[in-house]
Amino acid sequence: MKLSIIIPVYNEEQTISEIVERVRAVDLPGVEKEIIIANDGSSDGTRHAIDSSHWADDPWIRTYDNPINVGKGAAVRIGLKYATGDVILIQDADLELDPNEYGALLAPILRGERVVYGSRFLRPVAGISRRTRLANRLLTGLTNLLYFSALTDMETGYKVFRREVLERIRLRAVGFDFEPELTAKLLLAGYRIVEVPISYNPRRRDEGKKIRWIDGLDAAYILIKCRLVGRTTS
């Protein structure tokens, strides 16, 4: 099996080298890995950090650049365009999520499941703010209400899926609304989303956290829009 790990990145000069190194270090017997970095118009030293890293010449790591910052969804879609793996895994460029959990995320895929999410709320995790918990509860609850699902963490950064599921959906989101759009269209297409517990090391806004309250409103809008439209290709 070949695993394509897509890392969307925007202004993460402090963490990009370390997260790629952590991903490279993950041992997955029988799984071939490729890493696709989608640099979404970073204006800090992210590109320099990538070019100066000791893994920069690794043939299994490729970097693609947006000339301007568009958003996470646009970066992920760049990665999807160039991914060649049988399975796709989305990895944020910060250090909030631990690549050592790839084994647990891939286990259901190896058993035949098509879509797996890593949930931050299936087991106790310290350090998550009340605001984050509330926002997730509201958005995940809205997802479950509209799509008759039973998710615990719709907004998780760890989303893993077999490549063929993309043949039945069309993604249009360019920002953080990628998360609800992907989830909505997967559920509309009839895919079951399996969740596995993951650890989570949240960072603060002064440490580079980028998601804002307005992104929560956008997420709710996308969830409702996709439900009303009722199609996976629009």
Side-chain angles (χ1 to χ4, degrees):
M1 185 181 77
K2 185 174 183 180
L3 175 66
S4 295
I5 300 156
I6 298 174
I7 305 179
V9 56
Y10 173 64
N11 286 356
E12 298 286 2
E13 62 178 327
Q14 301 298 322
T15 61
I16 184 62
S17 293
E18 183 173 350
I19 194 61
V20 173
E21 189 55 49
R22 290 186 185 185
V23 171
R24 291 179 75 221
V26 174
D27 183 27
L28 297 171
V31 177
E32 178 184 348
K33 291 184 298 183
E34 69 172 0
I35 300 172
I36 300 173
I37 303 169
N39 179 26
D40 188 38
S42 294
S43 57
D44 64 351
T46 295
R47 182 70 221 206
H48 175 73
I50 293 170
D51 292 338
S52 61
S53 295
H54 69 274
W55 43 257
D57 294 326
D58 187 327
W60 293 108
I61 300 177
R62 289 171 287 151
T63 301
Y64 299 93
D65 297 281
N66 264 340
I68 60 171
N69 175 240
V70 182
K72 180 178 181 178
V76 170
R77 284 161 57 190
I78 287 177
L80 293 173
K81 177 180 178 180
Y82 293 103
T84 62
D86 310 295
V87 176
I88 311 295
L89 185 151
I90 312 299
Q91 169 70 60
D92 287 343
D94 53 33
L95 303 176
E96 290 189 330
L97 302 176
D98 185 2
N100 286 314
E101 294 182 310
Y102 285 1
L105 290 164
L106 290 172
I109 296 287
L110 294 173
R111 294 196 301 267
E113 299 290 347
R114 290 187 172 91
V115 184
V116 177
Y117 281 15
S119 174
R120 299 164 292 177
F121 301 100
L122 281 175
R123 63 187 180 200
V125 175
I128 302 179
S129 70
R130 183 176 301 176
R131 178 185 298 179
T132 297
R133 290 182 185 275
L134 178 60
N136 179 79
R137 189 172 301 166
L138 291 172
L139 291 173
T140 300
L142 181 61
T143 303
N144 293 336
L145 177 66
L146 293 173
Y147 298 92
F148 308 104
S149 55
L151 300 175
T152 62
D153 194 1
M154 182 275 291
E155 288 280 2
T156 178
Y158 268 162
K159 292 179 167 68
V160 188
F161 46 89
R162 290 187 176 274
R163 184 180 188 86
E164 63 262 25
V165 306
L166 296 176
E167 297 172 1
R168 294 181 58 188
I169 65 175
R170 181 176 181 181
L171 297 172
R172 294 180 176 274
V174 297
F176 287 115
D177 51 349
F178 162 79
E179 313 286 6
E181 183 193 38
L182 176 64
T183 304
K185 290 184 174 180
L186 287 171
L187 292 170
L188 283 172
Y191 290 111
R192 183 172 74 140
I193 299 175
V194 175
E195 290 186 304
V196 298
I198 58 170
S199 58
Y200 181 53
N201 181 34
R203 62 178 178 173
R204 304 183 304 272
R205 181 166 295 278
D206 63 327
E207 296 174 316
K209 189 75 171 179
K210 297 179 178 66
I211 197 164
R212 305 159 300 164
W213 67 268
I214 193 68
D215 296 310
L217 297 180
D218 288 341
Y221 169 75
I222 290 295
L223 289 169
I224 296 170
K225 177 183 176 182
C226 288
R227 178 73 272 181
L228 292 176
V229 172
R231 294 194 298 271
T232 62
T233 57
S234 59

